[in-house]
Amino acid sequence: MKVYGITVSYYTGKLEAYLRYKGINYELDHPYADQKRIKELAGAIQIPIVERNDGRWMSDSTPIIQQLEQEHPTPTVLPSDETVRFIAMLIEDYADEWLWRAAMHYRWSYEHDRELLSRILTDEVMTHIPLPRFMRRRLIKKRQRIGFVVRDGVCADTQAHVEAGYLNALTNMEAMLSERPYLLGSTPSIADFGLMGPMLRHFGQDPTPAEIMRDKAPAVFSWLARVWNARATAGEPTFVSEVPDVAAPMLKEIAETHLVQLAENAAAYGNQQKHFEMTVQGCSYKNLPVSRYRVHCLEQLREAFDALSDGAQSKVKSLLPYPEAELLWQAAPIAKSEYDEAREAPFNKAINVYGNGVPQ
Ligand SMILES: N[C@@H](CCC(=O)N[C@@H](CS)C(=O)NCC(=O)O)C(=O)O
């Protein structure tokens, strides 16, 4: 398969870590020279996008991995216990959609990181733009900082909270990794691959957050290399049969942050708003872009919860004893994204995370 991606991209890093683990061969290519064709075939210009040898296209790392798990079932990255599997998927969603803001902030707000990454992106993916290099660099810096930092609610009032979100992720992962080599077992699960998104190509590699990781969370730093170097072997995958107590602080953080954002975003989407506000752990965020894709993420989590047995549902509720978590099982309907209604993902037409906030 051909993976259209970039060597410093969040979700490309997540997918590559998974493909390497499973031993699935791929070739990395850049999407930007052939945007029109990719837009037609895959729906959105985002990365990663996969062009398969059978001619089909896949987008969105979460359903791509789910699809590949069906095609390459052993050894699985999905824990067999349904409660553990649900929690692993929740951690993946938090890694995908909550830690994104902190990752973009460190990369584009700090000068050293911004200078380095704009140079890498300019030379890797902007060579087709007929402008001098310094102008291409200036363009990418502006696009990324305005689009993904300033317009995503990062400002003087929220910066400390955004950074605390990264530090909390490190502390909570360190705790889990003190008991086992991977978050939920002695082989990596979808929770580990989810967290490889923010941790591998952003926090572990961009100068400012990487220094923090080495300094404050060396166990996470070594976990990064461990996951990257992990290879699925013929042996059985080994996951915990119950969510360990040491995961509690991470689950509390997910309820207080990611689930609040999912709830407020979905409510705003239902009201046809383009922007929304939220208060997370006492910090107030204003003017956030509504994301249709994240309404879909919430729907997926609610469906996964719904599909659990009664026993597993009670266990998940006791692992998440927070009012913010109730939206995962509350009876009151939430806004519908109407995205992928035909259930074709990852073969459907993708949408950008902020590109389709309000139904057209
Ligand atoms: N939900 C998608 C998100 C993919 C995504 O947003 N990728 C980023 C880069 S890491 C992107 O392509 N952003 C579009 C842009 O910058 O215009 C996934 O899980 O793969």
Side-chain angles (χ1 to χ4, degrees), residues 28-68:
L28 193 64
D29 205 343
H30 299 308
Y32 294 96
D34 201 3
Q35 296 201 15
K36 198 165 163 269
R37 175 165 166 261
I38 290 184
K39 178 113 187 140
E40 272 167 25
L41 292 159
I45 305 293
Q46 65 174 22
I47 48 174
I49 297 268
V50 177
E51 183 177 8
R52 299 166 53 117
N53 294 339
D54 65 11
R56 290 189 293 171
W57 291 69
M58 302 194 291
S59 33
D60 286 317
S61 56
T62 300
I64 291 175
I65 292 177
Q66 284 166 5
Q67 173 66 28
L68 292 173

mmCIF file of all heavy atoms in Angstrom, residues 28-68:
data_model
loop_
_atom_site.group_PDB
_atom_site.id
_atom_site.type_symbol
_atom_site.label_atom_id
_atom_site.label_comp_id
_atom_site.label_asym_id
_atom_site.label_seq_id
_atom_site.Cartn_x
_atom_site.Cartn_y
_atom_site.Cartn_z
ATOM 1 N N LEU A 28 5.956 5.305 1.822
ATOM 2 C CA LEU A 28 5.490 6.637 2.208
ATOM 3 C C LEU A 28 5.641 7.591 1.026
ATOM 4 O O LEU A 28 6.681 7.624 0.377
ATOM 5 C CB LEU A 28 6.308 7.144 3.397
ATOM 6 C CG LEU A 28 5.788 8.370 4.136
ATOM 7 C CD1 LEU A 28 4.453 8.104 4.809
ATOM 8 C CD2 LEU A 28 6.800 8.836 5.190
ATOM 9 N N ASP A 29 4.588 8.339 0.741
ATOM 10 C CA ASP A 29 4.638 9.309 -0.355
ATOM 11 C C ASP A 29 3.967 10.597 0.122
ATOM 12 O O ASP A 29 3.280 10.600 1.142
ATOM 13 C CB ASP A 29 3.895 8.732 -1.579
ATOM 14 C CG ASP A 29 4.390 9.337 -2.886
ATOM 15 O OD1 ASP A 29 5.053 10.399 -2.853
ATOM 16 O OD2 ASP A 29 4.094 8.762 -3.943
ATOM 17 N N HIS A 30 4.144 11.676 -0.631
ATOM 18 C CA HIS A 30 3.537 12.942 -0.224
ATOM 19 C C HIS A 30 2.260 13.213 -1.002
ATOM 20 O O HIS A 30 2.217 12.996 -2.197
ATOM 21 C CB HIS A 30 4.493 14.110 -0.478
ATOM 22 C CG HIS A 30 5.745 13.952 0.294
ATOM 23 N ND1 HIS A 30 5.749 13.717 1.632
ATOM 24 C CD2 HIS A 30 7.040 13.985 -0.092
ATOM 25 C CE1 HIS A 30 6.991 13.607 2.045
ATOM 26 N NE2 HIS A 30 7.790 13.759 1.025
ATOM 27 N N PRO A 31 1.245 13.735 -0.327
ATOM 28 C CA PRO A 31 -0.017 13.960 -1.022
ATOM 29 C C PRO A 31 -0.060 15.275 -1.782
ATOM 30 O O PRO A 31 -0.939 15.492 -2.594
ATOM 31 C CB PRO A 31 -1.019 14.022 0.131
ATOM 32 C CG PRO A 31 -0.237 14.510 1.312
ATOM 33 C CD PRO A 31 1.171 14.047 1.102
ATOM 34 N N TYR A 32 0.854 16.174 -1.527
ATOM 35 C CA TYR A 32 0.579 17.558 -1.895
ATOM 36 C C TYR A 32 0.764 17.896 -3.367
ATOM 37 O O TYR A 32 0.209 18.870 -3.847
ATOM 38 C CB TYR A 32 1.357 18.512 -0.975
ATOM 39 C CG TYR A 32 0.796 18.369 0.418
ATOM 40 C CD1 TYR A 32 1.385 17.526 1.339
ATOM 41 C CD2 TYR A 32 -0.397 18.989 0.760
ATOM 42 C CE1 TYR A 32 0.825 17.344 2.599
ATOM 43 C CE2 TYR A 32 -0.969 18.799 2.001
ATOM 44 C CZ TYR A 32 -0.352 17.992 2.917
ATOM 45 O OH TYR A 32 -0.923 17.789 4.138
ATOM 46 N N ALA A 33 1.499 17.069 -4.082
ATOM 47 C CA ALA A 33 1.699 17.385 -5.483
ATOM 48 C C ALA A 33 0.470 16.985 -6.310
ATOM 49 O O ALA A 33 0.271 17.478 -7.411
ATOM 50 C CB ALA A 33 2.943 16.679 -5.994
ATOM 51 N N ASP A 34 -0.352 16.098 -5.782
ATOM 52 C CA ASP A 34 -1.454 15.547 -6.565
ATOM 53 C C ASP A 34 -2.770 15.709 -5.810
ATOM 54 O O ASP A 34 -3.564 14.781 -5.663
ATOM 55 C CB ASP A 34 -1.160 14.056 -6.811
ATOM 56 C CG ASP A 34 -1.930 13.527 -8.007
ATOM 57 O OD1 ASP A 34 -2.628 14.334 -8.654
ATOM 58 O OD2 ASP A 34 -1.848 12.321 -8.273
ATOM 59 N N GLN A 35 -3.003 16.939 -5.334
ATOM 60 C CA GLN A 35 -4.118 17.167 -4.419
ATOM 61 C C GLN A 35 -5.472 16.882 -5.044
ATOM 62 O O GLN A 35 -6.368 16.361 -4.394
ATOM 63 C CB GLN A 35 -4.095 18.614 -3.939
ATOM 64 C CG GLN A 35 -2.878 18.924 -3.149
ATOM 65 C CD GLN A 35 -3.070 20.138 -2.256
ATOM 66 O OE1 GLN A 35 -4.176 20.579 -2.030
ATOM 67 N NE2 GLN A 35 -1.982 20.669 -1.760
ATOM 68 N N LYS A 36 -5.614 17.243 -6.339
ATOM 69 C CA LYS A 36 -6.930 17.135 -6.969
ATOM 70 C C LYS A 36 -7.385 15.666 -6.983
ATOM 71 O O LYS A 36 -8.501 15.343 -6.613
ATOM 72 C CB LYS A 36 -6.840 17.686 -8.394
ATOM 73 C CG LYS A 36 -8.166 18.030 -8.984
ATOM 74 C CD LYS A 36 -8.037 18.896 -10.243
ATOM 75 C CE LYS A 36 -9.333 18.862 -11.017
ATOM 76 N NZ LYS A 36 -9.362 17.781 -12.018
ATOM 77 N N ARG A 37 -6.456 14.810 -7.390
ATOM 78 C CA ARG A 37 -6.797 13.383 -7.494
ATOM 79 C C ARG A 37 -7.130 12.818 -6.108
ATOM 80 O O ARG A 37 -8.096 12.071 -5.939
ATOM 81 C CB ARG A 37 -5.577 12.662 -8.094
ATOM 82 C CG ARG A 37 -5.711 11.185 -8.156
ATOM 83 C CD ARG A 37 -4.654 10.580 -9.096
ATOM 84 N NE ARG A 37 -4.547 9.156 -8.914
ATOM 85 C CZ ARG A 37 -3.610 8.565 -8.183
ATOM 86 N NH1 ARG A 37 -2.695 9.288 -7.575
ATOM 87 N NH2 ARG A 37 -3.577 7.254 -8.071
ATOM 88 N N ILE A 38 -6.369 13.211 -5.111
ATOM 89 C CA ILE A 38 -6.620 12.677 -3.768
ATOM 90 C C ILE A 38 -7.951 13.177 -3.224
ATOM 91 O O ILE A 38 -8.717 12.428 -2.626
ATOM 92 C CB ILE A 38 -5.439 13.010 -2.834
ATOM 93 C CG1 ILE A 38 -4.267 12.162 -3.283
ATOM 94 C CG2 ILE A 38 -5.788 12.758 -1.387
ATOM 95 C CD1 ILE A 38 -3.058 12.253 -2.463
ATOM 96 N N LYS A 39 -8.247 14.419 -3.472
ATOM 97 C CA LYS A 39 -9.526 14.983 -3.009
ATOM 98 C C LYS A 39 -10.690 14.201 -3.633
ATOM 99 O O LYS A 39 -11.656 13.855 -2.958
ATOM 100 C CB LYS A 39 -9.584 16.464 -3.383
ATOM 101 C CG LYS A 39 -10.850 17.134 -3.011
ATOM 102 C CD LYS A 39 -10.612 18.184 -1.923
ATOM 103 C CE LYS A 39 -11.946 18.706 -1.470
ATOM 104 N NZ LYS A 39 -12.094 18.920 -0.096
ATOM 105 N N GLU A 40 -10.583 13.898 -4.913
ATOM 106 C CA GLU A 40 -11.649 13.153 -5.591
ATOM 107 C C GLU A 40 -11.815 11.749 -5.020
ATOM 108 O O GLU A 40 -12.907 11.280 -4.782
ATOM 109 C CB GLU A 40 -11.310 12.993 -7.083
ATOM 110 C CG GLU A 40 -11.812 14.156 -7.927
ATOM 111 C CD GLU A 40 -11.181 14.125 -9.317
ATOM 112 O OE1 GLU A 40 -10.769 13.029 -9.796
ATOM 113 O OE2 GLU A 40 -11.091 15.212 -9.896
ATOM 114 N N LEU A 41 -10.666 11.105 -4.798
ATOM 115 C CA LEU A 41 -10.735 9.691 -4.431
ATOM 116 C C LEU A 41 -10.895 9.452 -2.933
ATOM 117 O O LEU A 41 -11.530 8.491 -2.516
ATOM 118 C CB LEU A 41 -9.484 8.964 -4.946
ATOM 119 C CG LEU A 41 -9.462 8.881 -6.479
ATOM 120 C CD1 LEU A 41 -8.061 8.637 -6.999
ATOM 121 C CD2 LEU A 41 -10.392 7.762 -6.956
ATOM 122 N N ALA A 42 -10.304 10.329 -2.117
ATOM 123 C CA ALA A 42 -10.314 10.081 -0.661
ATOM 124 C C ALA A 42 -11.206 11.057 0.083
ATOM 125 O O ALA A 42 -11.477 10.863 1.262
ATOM 126 C CB ALA A 42 -8.899 10.132 -0.119
ATOM 127 N N GLY A 43 -11.624 12.115 -0.545
ATOM 128 C CA GLY A 43 -12.557 13.039 0.096
ATOM 129 C C GLY A 43 -11.919 14.297 0.633
ATOM 130 O O GLY A 43 -12.379 15.390 0.369
ATOM 131 N N ALA A 44 -10.861 14.144 1.411
ATOM 132 C CA ALA A 44 -10.237 15.322 2.029
ATOM 133 C C ALA A 44 -8.728 15.278 1.831
ATOM 134 O O ALA A 44 -8.142 14.202 1.710
ATOM 135 C CB ALA A 44 -10.543 15.358 3.514
ATOM 136 N N ILE A 45 -8.134 16.459 1.803
ATOM 137 C CA ILE A 45 -6.672 16.515 1.790
ATOM 138 C C ILE A 45 -6.234 16.499 3.242
ATOM 139 O O ILE A 45 -6.264 17.522 3.939
ATOM 140 C CB ILE A 45 -6.151 17.802 1.110
ATOM 141 C CG1 ILE A 45 -6.715 17.945 -0.286
ATOM 142 C CG2 ILE A 45 -4.630 17.813 1.090
ATOM 143 C CD1 ILE A 45 -6.244 16.922 -1.277
ATOM 144 N N GLN A 46 -5.949 15.372 3.737
ATOM 145 C CA GLN A 46 -5.411 15.230 5.089
ATOM 146 C C GLN A 46 -4.476 14.031 5.057
ATOM 147 O O GLN A 46 -4.472 13.269 4.094
ATOM 148 C CB GLN A 46 -6.534 15.034 6.113
ATOM 149 C CG GLN A 46 -7.312 13.753 5.934
ATOM 150 C CD GLN A 46 -8.338 13.488 7.039
ATOM 151 O OE1 GLN A 46 -8.771 14.394 7.713
ATOM 152 N NE2 GLN A 46 -8.704 12.245 7.225
ATOM 153 N N ILE A 47 -3.692 13.888 6.102
ATOM 154 C CA ILE A 47 -2.788 12.742 6.123
ATOM 155 C C ILE A 47 -2.937 11.993 7.438
ATOM 156 O O ILE A 47 -3.223 12.621 8.449
ATOM 157 C CB ILE A 47 -1.321 13.185 5.903
ATOM 158 C CG1 ILE A 47 -0.996 14.350 6.819
ATOM 159 C CG2 ILE A 47 -1.038 13.475 4.468
ATOM 160 C CD1 ILE A 47 0.441 14.756 6.788
ATOM 161 N N PRO A 48 -2.791 10.679 7.447
ATOM 162 C CA PRO A 48 -2.466 9.843 6.296
ATOM 163 C C PRO A 48 -3.706 9.505 5.466
ATOM 164 O O PRO A 48 -4.823 9.513 5.962
ATOM 165 C CB PRO A 48 -1.934 8.561 6.948
ATOM 166 C CG PRO A 48 -2.733 8.454 8.216
ATOM 167 C CD PRO A 48 -2.925 9.877 8.683
ATOM 168 N N ILE A 49 -3.427 9.236 4.179
ATOM 169 C CA ILE A 49 -4.415 8.665 3.264
ATOM 170 C C ILE A 49 -3.723 7.436 2.673
ATOM 171 O O ILE A 49 -2.542 7.519 2.337
ATOM 172 C CB ILE A 49 -4.735 9.646 2.107
ATOM 173 C CG1 ILE A 49 -5.360 10.935 2.631
ATOM 174 C CG2 ILE A 49 -5.561 8.979 1.021
ATOM 175 C CD1 ILE A 49 -6.860 10.980 2.688
ATOM 176 N N VAL A 50 -4.442 6.357 2.552
ATOM 177 C CA VAL A 50 -3.815 5.136 2.054
ATOM 178 C C VAL A 50 -4.397 4.766 0.696
ATOM 179 O O VAL A 50 -5.618 4.702 0.538
ATOM 180 C CB VAL A 50 -4.030 3.955 3.041
ATOM 181 C CG1 VAL A 50 -3.432 2.669 2.484
ATOM 182 C CG2 VAL A 50 -3.432 4.279 4.405
ATOM 183 N N GLU A 51 -3.511 4.533 -0.268
ATOM 184 C CA GLU A 51 -3.928 4.002 -1.572
ATOM 185 C C GLU A 51 -3.522 2.535 -1.584
ATOM 186 O O GLU A 51 -2.337 2.208 -1.476
ATOM 187 C CB GLU A 51 -3.225 4.766 -2.704
ATOM 188 C CG GLU A 51 -3.665 4.323 -4.070
ATOM 189 C CD GLU A 51 -3.009 5.135 -5.205
ATOM 190 O OE1 GLU A 51 -2.099 5.947 -4.936
ATOM 191 O OE2 GLU A 51 -3.408 4.925 -6.360
ATOM 192 N N ARG A 52 -4.503 1.673 -1.661
ATOM 193 C CA ARG A 52 -4.222 0.251 -1.539
ATOM 194 C C ARG A 52 -3.879 -0.372 -2.890
ATOM 195 O O ARG A 52 -4.248 0.143 -3.937
ATOM 196 C CB ARG A 52 -5.447 -0.463 -0.968
ATOM 197 C CG ARG A 52 -5.845 0.009 0.391
ATOM 198 C CD ARG A 52 -7.220 -0.473 0.761
ATOM 199 N NE ARG A 52 -7.378 -1.908 0.617
ATOM 200 C CZ ARG A 52 -7.648 -2.740 1.625
ATOM 201 N NH1 ARG A 52 -7.782 -2.281 2.856
ATOM 202 N NH2 ARG A 52 -7.814 -4.031 1.407
ATOM 203 N N ASN A 53 -3.230 -1.526 -2.825
ATOM 204 C CA ASN A 53 -2.898 -2.216 -4.068
ATOM 205 C C ASN A 53 -4.152 -2.688 -4.794
ATOM 206 O O ASN A 53 -4.139 -2.894 -6.001
ATOM 207 C CB ASN A 53 -1.977 -3.410 -3.779
ATOM 208 C CG ASN A 53 -0.628 -2.933 -3.267
ATOM 209 O OD1 ASN A 53 -0.252 -1.776 -3.492
ATOM 210 N ND2 ASN A 53 0.083 -3.786 -2.560
ATOM 211 N N ASP A 54 -5.282 -2.852 -4.066
ATOM 212 C CA ASP A 54 -6.529 -3.264 -4.720
ATOM 213 C C ASP A 54 -7.286 -2.068 -5.294
ATOM 214 O O ASP A 54 -8.425 -2.197 -5.729
ATOM 215 C CB ASP A 54 -7.430 -4.065 -3.767
ATOM 216 C CG ASP A 54 -7.932 -3.237 -2.574
ATOM 217 O OD1 ASP A 54 -7.764 -1.997 -2.578
ATOM 218 O OD2 ASP A 54 -8.493 -3.827 -1.639
ATOM 219 N N GLY A 55 -6.665 -0.878 -5.256
ATOM 220 C CA GLY A 55 -7.270 0.292 -5.893
ATOM 221 C C GLY A 55 -8.181 1.090 -4.959
ATOM 222 O O GLY A 55 -8.631 2.172 -5.309
ATOM 223 N N ARG A 56 -8.446 0.553 -3.764
ATOM 224 C CA ARG A 56 -9.314 1.305 -2.856
ATOM 225 C C ARG A 56 -8.498 2.271 -2.005
ATOM 226 O O ARG A 56 -7.305 2.069 -1.780
ATOM 227 C CB ARG A 56 -10.097 0.334 -1.954
ATOM 228 C CG ARG A 56 -11.135 -0.442 -2.756
ATOM 229 C CD ARG A 56 -12.056 -1.234 -1.849
ATOM 230 N NE ARG A 56 -11.344 -2.296 -1.166
ATOM 231 C CZ ARG A 56 -11.874 -3.025 -0.181
ATOM 232 N NH1 ARG A 56 -13.099 -2.797 0.225
ATOM 233 N NH2 ARG A 56 -11.184 -3.983 0.393
ATOM 234 N N TRP A 57 -9.183 3.307 -1.537
ATOM 235 C CA TRP A 57 -8.529 4.336 -0.722
ATOM 236 C C TRP A 57 -9.065 4.299 0.696
ATOM 237 O O TRP A 57 -10.260 4.076 0.896
ATOM 238 C CB TRP A 57 -8.803 5.725 -1.323
ATOM 239 C CG TRP A 57 -8.108 5.928 -2.631
ATOM 240 C CD1 TRP A 57 -8.392 5.295 -3.804
ATOM 241 C CD2 TRP A 57 -7.001 6.791 -2.885
ATOM 242 N NE1 TRP A 57 -7.523 5.713 -4.788
ATOM 243 C CE2 TRP A 57 -6.666 6.632 -4.243
ATOM 244 C CE3 TRP A 57 -6.258 7.683 -2.109
ATOM 245 C CZ2 TRP A 57 -5.618 7.333 -4.844
ATOM 246 C CZ3 TRP A 57 -5.221 8.384 -2.693
ATOM 247 C CH2 TRP A 57 -4.902 8.210 -4.051
ATOM 248 N N MET A 58 -8.199 4.585 1.656
ATOM 249 C CA MET A 58 -8.652 4.604 3.053
ATOM 250 C C MET A 58 -8.208 5.912 3.704
ATOM 251 O O MET A 58 -7.108 6.398 3.459
ATOM 252 C CB MET A 58 -8.030 3.451 3.842
ATOM 253 C CG MET A 58 -8.339 2.071 3.278
ATOM 254 S SD MET A 58 -7.938 0.727 4.448
ATOM 255 C CE MET A 58 -6.162 0.785 4.504
ATOM 256 N N SER A 59 -9.079 6.449 4.565
ATOM 257 C CA SER A 59 -8.686 7.621 5.342
ATOM 258 C C SER A 59 -9.181 7.512 6.772
ATOM 259 O O SER A 59 -10.093 6.741 7.066
ATOM 260 C CB SER A 59 -9.193 8.914 4.702
ATOM 261 O OG SER A 59 -10.411 8.706 4.071
ATOM 262 N N ASP A 60 -8.574 8.303 7.627
ATOM 263 C CA ASP A 60 -8.799 8.364 9.079
ATOM 264 C C ASP A 60 -8.129 7.175 9.778
ATOM 265 O O ASP A 60 -8.542 6.024 9.603
ATOM 266 C CB ASP A 60 -10.284 8.440 9.463
ATOM 267 C CG ASP A 60 -10.843 9.827 9.167
ATOM 268 O OD1 ASP A 60 -10.144 10.818 9.476
ATOM 269 O OD2 ASP A 60 -11.942 9.933 8.609
ATOM 270 N N SER A 61 -7.126 7.521 10.563
ATOM 271 C CA SER A 61 -6.286 6.469 11.155
ATOM 272 C C SER A 61 -7.087 5.472 12.001
ATOM 273 O O SER A 61 -6.765 4.282 12.005
ATOM 274 C CB SER A 61 -5.175 7.116 11.995
ATOM 275 O OG SER A 61 -5.737 7.976 12.974
ATOM 276 N N THR A 62 -8.133 5.938 12.688
ATOM 277 C CA THR A 62 -8.860 5.013 13.574
ATOM 278 C C THR A 62 -9.583 3.918 12.774
ATOM 279 O O THR A 62 -9.332 2.730 13.008
ATOM 280 C CB THR A 62 -9.823 5.817 14.491
ATOM 281 O OG1 THR A 62 -9.020 6.726 15.248
ATOM 282 C CG2 THR A 62 -10.632 4.923 15.412
ATOM 283 N N PRO A 63 -10.452 4.261 11.803
ATOM 284 C CA PRO A 63 -11.054 3.168 11.025
ATOM 285 C C PRO A 63 -10.061 2.437 10.120
ATOM 286 O O PRO A 63 -10.287 1.259 9.817
ATOM 287 C CB PRO A 63 -12.142 3.870 10.193
ATOM 288 C CG PRO A 63 -11.826 5.309 10.207
ATOM 289 C CD PRO A 63 -11.079 5.558 11.492
ATOM 290 N N ILE A 64 -8.982 3.098 9.711
ATOM 291 C CA ILE A 64 -7.975 2.370 8.906
ATOM 292 C C ILE A 64 -7.427 1.203 9.742
ATOM 293 O O ILE A 64 -7.348 0.056 9.289
ATOM 294 C CB ILE A 64 -6.803 3.291 8.474
ATOM 295 C CG1 ILE A 64 -7.254 4.338 7.459
ATOM 296 C CG2 ILE A 64 -5.643 2.459 7.900
ATOM 297 C CD1 ILE A 64 -6.176 5.370 7.075
ATOM 298 N N ILE A 65 -7.077 1.501 10.998
ATOM 299 C CA ILE A 65 -6.512 0.444 11.843
ATOM 300 C C ILE A 65 -7.572 -0.633 12.102
ATOM 301 O O ILE A 65 -7.282 -1.834 12.045
ATOM 302 C CB ILE A 65 -5.936 1.041 13.152
ATOM 303 C CG1 ILE A 65 -4.696 1.890 12.821
ATOM 304 C CG2 ILE A 65 -5.597 -0.063 14.162
ATOM 305 C CD1 ILE A 65 -4.066 2.610 13.998
ATOM 306 N N GLN A 66 -8.814 -0.214 12.324
ATOM 307 C CA GLN A 66 -9.865 -1.227 12.560
ATOM 308 C C GLN A 66 -10.036 -2.139 11.348
ATOM 309 O O GLN A 66 -10.192 -3.345 11.470
ATOM 310 C CB GLN A 66 -11.191 -0.552 12.919
ATOM 311 C CG GLN A 66 -11.175 -0.036 14.354
ATOM 312 C CD GLN A 66 -12.316 0.931 14.652
ATOM 313 O OE1 GLN A 66 -13.183 1.149 13.819
ATOM 314 N NE2 GLN A 66 -12.302 1.503 15.849
ATOM 315 N N GLN A 67 -9.984 -1.542 10.162
ATOM 316 C CA GLN A 67 -10.096 -2.333 8.933
ATOM 317 C C GLN A 67 -8.915 -3.307 8.804
ATOM 318 O O GLN A 67 -9.090 -4.487 8.510
ATOM 319 C CB GLN A 67 -10.146 -1.388 7.722
ATOM 320 C CG GLN A 67 -10.092 -2.063 6.363
ATOM 321 C CD GLN A 67 -11.312 -2.924 6.058
ATOM 322 O OE1 GLN A 67 -12.401 -2.664 6.564
ATOM 323 N NE2 GLN A 67 -11.129 -3.962 5.258
ATOM 324 N N LEU A 68 -7.709 -2.787 9.039
ATOM 325 C CA LEU A 68 -6.534 -3.644 8.893
ATOM 326 C C LEU A 68 -6.519 -4.759 9.944
ATOM 327 O O LEU A 68 -6.009 -5.849 9.687
ATOM 328 C CB LEU A 68 -5.247 -2.800 8.950
ATOM 329 C CG LEU A 68 -5.071 -1.867 7.737
ATOM 330 C CD1 LEU A 68 -3.867 -0.944 7.928
ATOM 331 C CD2 LEU A 68 -4.914 -2.666 6.433
#
